[in-house]
Amino acid sequence: MIVGGGTVGCGMEPFYTDPRIELVSFDIYASPSVQFLADAHNIPLVSESFDAVIIQAVLEHVLRPEEVVAEAYRVLKPDGMVYAETPFLQHVHEGAYDFTRYTESGHRYLFRRFSLIKSGASAGAGTQLLWALDSFFCGLFRSKLMGKLIKLGLFWLQAFDRLIPETYNVDAASGVYFMGRKDRDVMQDASIVEYYKGAQR
C-alpha cells in the first residue's frame, strides 16, 4: 500500500508497473495513480491486510504524523514492512500544507513500534545545500525563477552526498528514511540516545 500515492514518487514507478505487485494506493485527491480517496489519519481498510506500506514525502504534510504511522502499523500484517522518507533540512514546500521535519533519530523514534531494518539519509548534505541555495536566492531576488536557475546551475552539488560519510550526512541531511518491520516490542525512550547515528558522538 502506498500512502499519499496521488503523485508517483521518485523511484516508485516499479511498484505501479510490476504486474506481480498487487498495489493499493490512496491520497486526499483523485489521480490516475490512486484507487480511492482517504485521510491517512484514518485509513478505511481492514487491520492486518497488507504486506508493506510506503509513506514517501507525506508525513511532513499531515497534522499528526504519529497517528498516520499508527494507522500504517494497524493495516500491516504481522511482520509486515514499512518504508518512509521524510524531510529533515528542507525549506517549506506545498505552502500552508507543510508542517513537520524530522532528524534521523526523531524519525526512528516516530517508528518506534517497528524493528529497524535500515535507516539513514535519503538525501545528504550536498542536496540540502542545493535546497538552501534555491531558497536563499529565491528570497534574495524575490523570484522563484532565480532560485530555480541557481538550482539548475548547481545541480552537481548533489553528487557530494556520495562523498560525505553517512555519519555527517545524517546530521545535515535534506531528508531521512526508515525501513522497518512491524514488531510487538516498542523501542524504549532511553534507547533513542544510544541509537544516534551522526558524527557528534
Side-chain angles (χ1 to χ4, degrees):
M1 180 177 71
I2 296 183
V3 177
T7 301
V8 179
C10 182
M12 293 294 112
E13 293 86 357
F15 292 99
Y16 290 85
T17 58
D18 191 327
R20 297 169 298 176
I21 297 174
E22 188 178 341
L23 180 70
V24 173
S25 174
F26 74 91
D27 212 316
I28 58 170
Y29 60 90
S31 87
S33 302
V34 301
Q35 284 75 53
F36 64 96
L37 305 183
D39 181 344
H41 296 89
N42 187 18
I43 302 172
L45 297 172
V46 177
S47 298
E48 298 189 353
S49 52
F50 291 92
D51 295 308
V53 172
I54 297 171
I55 314 171
Q56 185 188 45
V58 170
L59 294 174
E60 70 270 31
H61 300 304
V62 300
L63 286 175
R64 297 177 296 279
E66 292 208 1
E67 289 184 18
V68 174
V69 173
E71 279 292 272
Y73 184 92
R74 180 185 64 79
V75 300
L76 277 171
K77 295 177 182 177
D79 295 324
M81 293 177 60
V82 67
Y83 178 79
E85 291 179 6
T86 308
F88 172 27
L89 297 173
Q90 288 182 14
H91 61 74
V92 170
H93 53 276
E94 301 296 331
Y97 300 97
D98 191 348
F99 308 110
T100 308
R101 297 292 182 270
Y102 285 97
T103 63
E104 207 278 333
S105 290
H107 202 233
R108 171 65 185 104
Y109 188 72
L110 180 65
F111 289 91
R112 58 191 173 276
R113 296 182 69 190
F114 295 83
S115 60
L116 173 68
I117 296 173
K118 194 173 182 184
S119 67
S122 57
T127 302
Q128 185 269 125
L129 178 58
L130 191 60
W131 274 82
L133 289 170
D134 174 1
S135 186
F136 174 79
F137 283 101
C138 179
L140 184 65
F141 292 99
R142 282 73 165 170
S143 166
K144 289 183 180 179
L145 176 61
M146 181 59 72
K148 299 307 174 195
L149 288 174
I150 292 295
K151 199 170 184 179
L152 183 63
L154 297 175
F155 72 93
W156 47 269
L157 285 170
Q158 297 172 95
F160 284 95
D161 288 356
R162 296 188 186 124
L163 301 176
I164 297 169
E166 178 68 1
T167 52
Y168 288 89
N169 268 331
V170 161
D171 285 342
S174 173
V176 295
Y177 75 92
F178 175 84
M179 180 184 291
R181 194 176 298 280
K182 184 174 180 176
D183 201 341
R184 291 178 180 164
D185 294 329
V186 179
M187 182 183 197
Q188 298 303 305
D189 291 358
S191 301
I192 197 62
V193 175
E194 293 177 18
Y195 167 81
Y196 171 67
K197 298 170 70 172
Q200 301 179 46
R201 294 182 180 275

